[in-house]
Amino acid sequence: MTTISLKAAQRIIAAALEKGGALSLKPLSVVVLDPGGQVKAFARQDGASPGRYAIAHGKAYGAVMLGMGGQAQMARAEAQSYFMLAANGAFGGAVVPVPGGVLVRGAEGAVIGAVGVTGDTSDNDEICAVTGIEAAGLTPEA
């Protein structure tokens, strides 16, 4: 598999939203991107603000375009803010370097996409993203 399938993307979203419900989180938005940064699937729960799409997308987009999850991006931003500022500028300001953006690796270990979750705390968003990815039988990299 060189890209995430629509079926897997839909499973990730369903499981991430289910986990958010189980944890009584605020309404979530979840996006799944293919390895080229294009949207494969998106869902916004009732009550989630419409601007959450851009945040979820930015979390996932940063992960797939930089090849590192939100945790790693945040650490890099804290250690070398100039790099993340430059990278974000190169991507038109579309990167949101915080937890909740998670790389998706396929069976062979290659990156096949990324997931971005937003709506609650970044750490809770990441928990939901990881849960969704694992529910689809894929490997998350935060």
Side-chain angles (χ1 to χ4, degrees):
M1 176 185 318
T2 59
T3 189
I4 194 161
S5 70
L6 177 59
K7 182 177 180 179
Q10 291 171 328
R11 177 68 184 122
I12 289 167
I13 290 172
L17 295 177
E18 183 178 315
K19 182 66 171 183
L23 296 174
S24 299
L25 302 184
K26 295 175 184 173
L28 300 176
S29 293
V30 183
V31 70
V32 180
L33 305 182
D34 70 15
Q38 298 301 307
V39 176
K40 194 72 174 191
F42 171 73
R44 180 171 57 93
Q45 287 184 305
D46 294 344
S49 64
R52 290 293 178 170
Y53 169 80
I55 297 169
H57 183 270
K59 288 181 178 187
Y61 191 74
V64 77
M65 298 312 279
L66 294 171
M68 63 176 89
Q71 288 280 354
Q73 290 177 61
M74 187 171 73
R76 186 78 182 263
E78 290 169 348
Q80 298 176 315
S81 61
Y82 58 87
F83 171 79
M84 288 306 297
L85 286 169
N88 206 2
F91 296 122
V95 174
V96 179
V98 297
V102 181
L103 286 171
V104 180
R105 293 194 179 272
E108 296 89 34
V111 172
I112 61 169
V115 175
V117 178
T118 187
D120 204 86
T121 67
S122 291
D123 290 336
N124 284 337
D125 295 343
E126 183 176 287
I127 289 167
C128 294
V130 167
T131 297
I133 295 165
E134 290 174 343
L138 300 167
T139 303
E141 184 179 316

